Amino acid sequence: MTGAARLFITAAVLFAIAGMVIGLHMAISGEHGQHVTHAHVMLAGWVSLALMGFFYHHFPALNVSAMAKAQFWNTALSAVLMCVSLFFLYGGNPAIEPGAAAGSIGFLLGTLLFAYNALRTIWR
């Protein structure tokens, strides 16, 4: 696996581990205040990035494009910002909410770029 696909799958695996650690911590402690963070880490980070990685893997010409790599960096960094901000927000720090908003908007923009790449490719 190469290119953007490898970047997406690597990031997805790291998000999966982080999400599982958060989930285990909640289960062991009995404190489930981070359930929203856990859900975002698992779905946005693990599932979405993995699906994007598998898509790029199946379209090798798009996989090595500069646009795919730009989409990876935008989406992955936005996911990190969103999830870290959510962790602090649900940990009791409401001042971090603009970080969660910025990460969410960045993730949406990255997903829109993915939609453009994917739909343009499959409808050619």
Side-chain angles (χ1 to χ4, degrees):
M1 188 173 285
T2 61
R6 179 169 49 190
L7 294 171
F8 273 107
I9 297 301
T10 301
V13 168
L14 294 174
F15 271 99
I17 293 167
M20 289 177 198
V21 168
I22 293 169
L24 281 170
H25 180 267
M26 288 189 303
I28 292 167
S29 69
E31 171 56 49
H32 295 88
Q34 291 289 348
H35 69 279
V36 173
T37 306
H38 170 72
H40 280 77
V41 170
M42 295 304 288
L43 291 175
W46 165 227
V47 175
S48 294
L49 295 181
L51 289 172
M52 291 174 189
F54 283 118
F55 175 83
Y56 283 119
H57 179 68
H58 288 288
F59 292 92
L62 187 57
N63 181 42
V64 296
S65 71
M67 188 181 297
K69 287 186 180 169
Q71 190 254 321
F72 164 76
W73 287 109
N74 177 79
T75 308
L77 293 176
S78 295
V80 169
L81 176 60
M82 175 178 60
C83 292
V84 169
S85 296
L86 287 173
F87 181 81
F88 287 108
L89 180 66
Y90 286 96
N93 185 356
I96 199 75
E97 192 166 7
S104 298
I105 292 167
F107 195 84
L108 172 61
L109 293 174
T111 302
L112 290 172
L113 184 55
F114 172 74
Y116 173 77
N117 287 340
L119 296 175
R120 182 179 62 128
T121 301
I122 65 172
W123 284 96
R124 275 190 190 163

